[in-house]
Amino acid sequence: MHTPLTEPPPAAGPEHLERQRAAITRLGHELRALVEATVRTVASPDTLHRVADGVRHVTGQLTGRQRARTEIPEVDGFPGGPRMYSPVVGAGSPLAPPVSITPTDDGLIGHCTLGIAHEGPPGYGHGGMSAMLLDELMGQACTAAGTPGLTVSLQMRYHQPIPLETPLRILGRVTGTDNRKIFVTGAITTEAAPSTDLVTADGVFIAPDPDRVRALFPGLPEEA
């Protein structure tokens, strides 16, 4: 069992971070391929047991120091930067699609394709996955607008099921503010039919005060 650090490790240089992120991205890609193969396979029990033994052996190689729950990974740029292990946008996460995000004139747009690992009804994405995609894009839209916030409420409307293995667009846009409250809208469409909303959402986010930020994220550097 590892012992969590009381202080984060020293900051790494740009070259080390670049190499680390590249390695994390490669491993994340291979793990997503493994997850997708796992949920699609019709292999025999003997094959599955053999693969499970192999996976256990591989897992055993990722030993040594493990980061603590509140420790921000050195490869992350939180807040407002890359999140390598995010289950939505993280290139290193075996759970993420992952979503790539670009700015628009009035918000953000994300692009991804859900696989069988994200399945709810057969052939379609899980409704909770839609909520997670929108929560991420809408939250990042707050940050892009200069008003980072935490989710207070997210009202979802499911118009049509989200097809798997189909390129998707996820939109997030700040529509207004009221003191510390930030109002945001979002939508999911396919790339092929961007004018047809499959899922839409209205959200309220709140910009926490500095003391609250420090309490929630004790791993933030002092200058953040």
Side-chain angles (χ1 to χ4, degrees):
M1 179 178 295
H2 71 277
T3 301
L5 293 183
T6 56
E7 295 181 359
E15 183 178 348
H16 168 78
L17 290 179
E18 183 178 348
R19 293 179 61 245
Q20 191 74 7
R21 286 173 181 151
I24 290 169
T25 297
R26 182 184 176 195
L27 178 58
H29 174 78
E30 296 302 335
L31 288 174
R32 286 190 292 275
L34 174 62
V35 169
E36 191 71 7
T38 298
V39 299
R40 299 188 77 132
T41 187
V42 291
S44 69
D46 288 344
T47 297
L48 295 178
H49 282 299
R50 185 169 64 253
V51 170
D53 289 339
V55 171
R56 182 171 58 184
H57 173 72
V58 170
T59 301
Q61 299 181 53
L62 298 177
T63 57
R65 194 187 80 81
Q66 304 282 301
R67 63 183 171 93
R69 181 183 67 84
T70 59
E71 182 184 336
I72 298 172
E74 65 173 2
V75 291
D76 277 8
F78 181 81
R83 300 294 310 283
M84 294 300 295
Y85 298 112
S86 161
V88 181
V89 299
S93 171
L95 309 177
V99 178
S100 62
I101 299 177
T102 54
T104 67
D105 291 339
D106 62 351
L108 297 177
I109 181 170
H111 304 270
C112 75
T113 300
L114 299 182
I116 301 299
H118 306 116
E119 188 174 58
Y124 297 96
H126 194 288
M129 193 69 197
S130 299
M132 187 162 65
L133 293 174
L134 284 167
D135 184 49
E136 179 73 23
L137 262 290
M138 294 163 72
Q140 290 213 25
C142 293
T143 301
T147 53
L150 302 174
T151 312
V152 173
S153 67
L154 196 64
Q155 182 177 357
M156 305 288 299
R157 289 177 295 280
Y158 295 86
H159 306 282
Q160 297 183 43
I162 301 291
L164 299 176
E165 300 183 324
T166 303
L168 302 175
R169 292 161 52 102
I170 311 104
L171 307 175
R173 180 170 67 92
V174 172
T175 58
T177 60
D178 180 10
N179 195 8
R180 291 167 50 215
K181 288 184 178 180
I182 311 156
F183 303 98
V184 195
T185 61
I188 301 177
T189 73
T190 64
E191 292 279 11
S195 61
T196 302
D197 291 337
L198 303 180
V199 182
T200 56
D202 291 303
V204 178
F205 291 69
I206 191 162
D209 61 59
D211 289 341
R212 181 62 172 158
V213 171
R214 288 293 172 194
L216 288 171
F217 310 112
L220 278 174
E222 290 298 324
E223 64 273 12

